[in-house]
Amino acid sequence: RLLSGNERVAAIFGSVASSVALPGSQVAEAAGVPWFELGALTDQVVTRGFRWVFRASPGALDFATAALDGVTEVLAPALGVHPSALRLGIAHDDGPGGQSVGAAQEELAKARGLTVVERAGYAPRPADLNALVQRLRGQEAEVVLHTGGPGDEMLLFRAMRDATWRPRMVIGT
């Protein structure tokens, strides 16, 4: 309504959530109103060729890079192993942001010669992450790269505790 009524919106700053940013920025683009994305992770927000959509925050590839830098530049040297010796598990919710970060992590890990043993998605707002943890544990993941919604990290750590499983590192996005 604000974009089509008598009162004109000068710009929109939002949205934090990819599921809101994707359709919201499309409406703003159609109305010729600048959309400045402040936090949605999915890179699709800014890769659709829109003229009026801008990112003011890191995207999926930025988060993937930071997570994998943690593995290669911090964890592997601290353990005295080559980064390719570590077994990575990628876990993410199946929302647009989680999928985008998970895909970027998998692609970047492979490009760096790292070993990804599992990339596992789960439904947004899960009741628990027990099955996910059992999958990662079964693949003997030593490092878990996790991207999820609010509260998912608590479910992840609770499931790891219940399974008495402690990977060498968990990196959250």
Side-chain angles (χ1 to χ4, degrees):
R1 273 185 167 214
L2 287 173
L3 297 179
S4 62
N6 291 337
E7 295 183 32
R8 188 85 170 127
V9 173
I12 299 172
F13 294 84
S15 66
V16 179
S18 297
S19 60
V20 174
L22 289 170
S25 61
Q26 187 170 352
V27 171
E29 177 71 15
V33 174
W35 177 284
F36 295 93
E37 184 49 52
L38 302 178
L41 295 176
T42 186
D43 289 326
Q44 190 180 2
V45 171
V46 293
T47 60
R48 295 175 288 175
F50 288 175
R51 181 175 178 217
W52 296 103
V53 178
F54 309 94
R55 179 181 295 287
S57 64
L61 182 58
D62 300 308
F63 282 101
T65 300
L68 290 168
D69 286 351
V71 172
T72 60
E73 297 173 16
V74 178
L75 181 62
L79 295 173
V81 300
H82 191 274
S84 64
L86 294 169
R87 299 171 57 84
L88 308 180
I90 299 171
H92 59 83
D93 73 28
D94 280 333
Q99 286 181 357
S100 189
V101 174
Q105 288 173 331
E106 183 175 38
E107 186 176 313
L108 189 55
K110 288 180 180 178
R112 291 184 181 191
L114 303 176
T115 305
V116 176
V117 296
E118 180 84 24
R119 176 175 162 207
Y122 59 87
R125 295 180 296 283
D128 67 62
L129 291 176
N130 296 333
L132 172 77
V133 164
Q134 290 304 327
R135 281 177 67 181
L136 295 171
R137 183 180 187 186
Q139 292 294 330
E140 299 178 4
E142 297 173 277
V143 178
V144 175
L145 307 177
H146 177 252
T147 304
D152 289 3
E153 65 283 348
M154 295 300 294
L155 296 175
L156 177 66
F157 283 103
R158 185 175 297 135
M160 288 178 2
R161 181 198 64 206
D162 292 348
T164 62
W165 179 59
R166 293 183 72 177
R168 290 182 164 194
M169 182 179 268
V170 175
I171 300 175
T173 301

